[in-house]
Amino acid sequence: MTMTITKQQIITWLRNSVEEFNTQQDLLTSLDREIGDADHGLNMNRGFQKVNEKLPSLTDKDIGTILKTTGITLLSSIGGASGPLYGTFFIRCASLVAAKEELSLSDLTDMLQGGVDGIKDRGKAEIGDKTMVDTLGGILNSLNMNQSKNVIEAIAIAAEAGSMATKSTIPMIAKKGRASYLGERSIGHQDPGATSASLLFNCLRDAVK
Amino acid sequence: MKKMINKVEDVVKQQLEGFAIAHKELEVSLDPMFIVRKNQSHSKVAIISGGGSGHEPMHGGFVGQGMLDGACPGEMFTSPTPDQMYECGLKAHSGKGVLFLVKNYTGDVLNFETSLELLHAEGIEVQTALIDDDVAVKDSLYTAGRRGVATTVLAEKILGAAAESSYTLEQLSVLAKRIANNGRSFGVGLKACTVPAAGKPSFTLEDNEVEFGVGIHGEPGIERRPYVDCDSLTESMMAEILNNNPYVREVRLWDNSIGDWKTETWTTEPLLKGDKVIVLINNLGATPESELYIVFRKVAETLTEQGITIERSIIGSYCTSLDMQGVSITILNADKEMIALFDRPVKTPSLCWGES
């Protein structure tokens, strides 16, 4: 039974994300055109391209350093609200796993909880506001319920929960961010931030399976 | 898509390169991106603003004597990042503190707040001033609050003049709050803008439709309405602006005495008969200048009917949304102090009057 995630797998997670946010630019842009200003795909790709430049120097570092550098890089390159939110997410995660070389399922869960709490502190969103918090909340609920499973399985189940949570944003009315200016016109559209959060976690799933 | 651009990813950089050549009296930094005044003659509060690119001349075109000391352009329609405001703040600071003028968008607020914390950690006195003047968004409880739009331009002028006259950071904060609570804007879009990266318009309208209550980032308006003519559209816009339902919201401000954030409750002041106003008729990008005057004619008529006097007016492209065909109207209820500061000399690429 696989017990831990290694730091190599964390690097692979980030590498996968670089590729994913490059490939899925148009998807995120088109979602953001409907209820935003059509820049989410571009911003996430730009941010992760900058992370990609940092990866070679991080391969021998501990998980805390890897994630903190990722957070700081995203903070200064994504822009918009996503920059501070994803930046804070990774920086908070990093603070909970400082000096670690591997993570158990419980370490990972606590880490992600800290990251999500950081996003909620900054952006003040709750589940139901039609944001990335819906997706991340769904992922954390799932991880918390599957602590007795092996880490690969728990992450796979959580990724599925994340996708469902992303889809659940479709009928919601946006209460935060640019989509909230649209009021009821935001109903019927999948939230771009929730989508990028789901893609990010899928990349972790693919890195450990 | 035909635009006077080259590669999409070079748009912001290349426009800054052109701007730098045209305006040698300003210093343009490309990494991180910001524009600052050169050769400040005296120590004063540094007023810095910024936001996504795509709204030119706001904010870079307003850097100079009597207005902004620094401007931080983000990527297209994307908030600038903390490192930009941090470096710009360090550069522009001349010993009397830094005031960040922030438009109320989640991204702008989060990034500016982060950079404020960074400057504070350097021992620099700092404060944020928030503009949330777009009355299209009705409440702040279930939304991100009112957007910051063209009142920002008037705020930059008035606060810039005040800083030039040696107002302290505290005095500027008080004035900024008064401007924020007395400015109202509303915009309509006749045709969407095309963001270079997206390659096509952000929404499509029929000939007989307008986006009513539109922002400056290409997002749809609060509703789609039928187009009739300029006067009836302008009347509808003025009805939204003149609506005096109180707008109450919680605003986060920096408290220097505790070195942390505090929350204040702000209420937009009502517009009453006898009030004196500054009017800004703003081209959202692709509207012919002549049409702005047709709009203004109706705005002037409506205000006269309400017993409100236009003290000053400013008409043109100030707070644009790339090539959106549309107009926004800003009414700022202005007292003697604001009008006197508005009249002070200014010398920037896009606003220039008076002898300095």
Side-chain angles (χ1 to χ4, degrees), chain B residues 186-227:
Chain B
F186 195 87
V188 295
L190 304 186
K191 210 191 302 190
C193 61
T194 296
V195 177
K200 56 184 193 183
S202 358
F203 52 81
T204 319
L205 290 166
E206 301 297 325
D207 268 346
N208 59 355
E209 290 179 319
V210 303
E211 284 289 338
F212 195 71
V214 80
I216 57 173
H217 294 94
E219 71 267 42
I222 48 167
E223 59 179 358
R224 203 158 271 193
R225 283 208 186 172
Y227 171 78

Side-chain angles (χ1 to χ4, degrees), chain A:
Chain A
M1 173 157 127
T2 313
M3 304 295 286
T4 62
I5 300 170
T6 64
K7 70 184 187 193
Q8 283 74 26
Q9 287 171 316
I10 296 291
I11 296 274
T12 306
W13 173 27
L14 296 171
R15 270 219 181 92
N16 289 349
S17 302
V18 171
E19 221 187 292
E20 182 75 342
F21 286 114
N22 185 253
T23 317
Q24 301 283 24
Q25 253 189 104
D26 288 348
L27 166 68
L28 293 175
T29 295
S30 67
L31 290 173
D32 198 33
R33 182 180 300 112
E34 297 300 315
I35 55 174
D37 57 359
D39 65 357
H40 194 51
L42 198 65
N43 295 345
M44 292 303 289
N45 181 49
R46 180 176 54 248
F48 274 91
Q49 289 300 318
K50 288 280 183 217
V51 168
N52 194 34
E53 288 168 20
K54 298 264 160 61
L55 288 181
S57 68
L58 293 171
T59 48
D60 58 340
K61 302 286 188 294
D62 64 85
I63 297 176
T65 304
I66 295 168
L67 295 179
K68 183 173 173 187
T69 307
T70 301
I72 290 173
T73 305
L74 293 177
L75 177 62
S76 61
S77 57
I78 290 181
S82 303
L85 295 173
Y86 277 120
T88 299
F89 172 76
F90 279 102
I91 292 169
R92 288 278 181 106
C93 282
S95 67
L96 289 160
V97 295
K100 283 202 188 292
E101 304 278 318
E102 55 185 24
L103 303 177
S104 65
L105 176 57
S106 134
D107 290 333
L108 176 77
T109 309
D110 288 344
M111 178 190 94
L112 293 175
Q113 184 67 63
V116 175
D117 288 344
I119 289 179
K120 286 165 125 179
D121 284 346
R122 282 253 171 236
K124 309 274 188 266
E126 295 292 337
I127 290 179
D129 285 345
K130 195 183 180 102
T131 70
M132 56 173 62
V133 169
D134 287 292
T135 300
L136 295 169
I139 286 167
L140 272 160
N141 284 344
S142 170
L143 286 174
N144 281 321
M145 287 199 308
N146 290 299
Q147 289 291 300
S148 57
K149 291 204 161 46
N150 90 47
V151 66
I152 295 177
E153 212 189 327
I155 288 176
I157 297 170
E160 182 55 35
S163 296
M164 304 272 293
T166 299
K167 291 200 176 62
S168 81
T169 64
I170 295 173
M172 290 180 187
I173 183 170
K175 298 202 194 70
K176 287 279 181 264
R178 206 184 293 291
S180 70
Y181 307 137
L182 271 55
E184 287 179 0
R185 289 177 91 180
S186 61
I187 295 172
H189 301 280
Q190 184 167 300
D191 183 68
T195 309
S196 59
S198 183
L199 294 177
L200 183 65
F201 195 77
N202 290 350
C203 289
L204 176 62
R205 173 200 61 199
D206 296 341
V208 303
K209 69 178 180 201

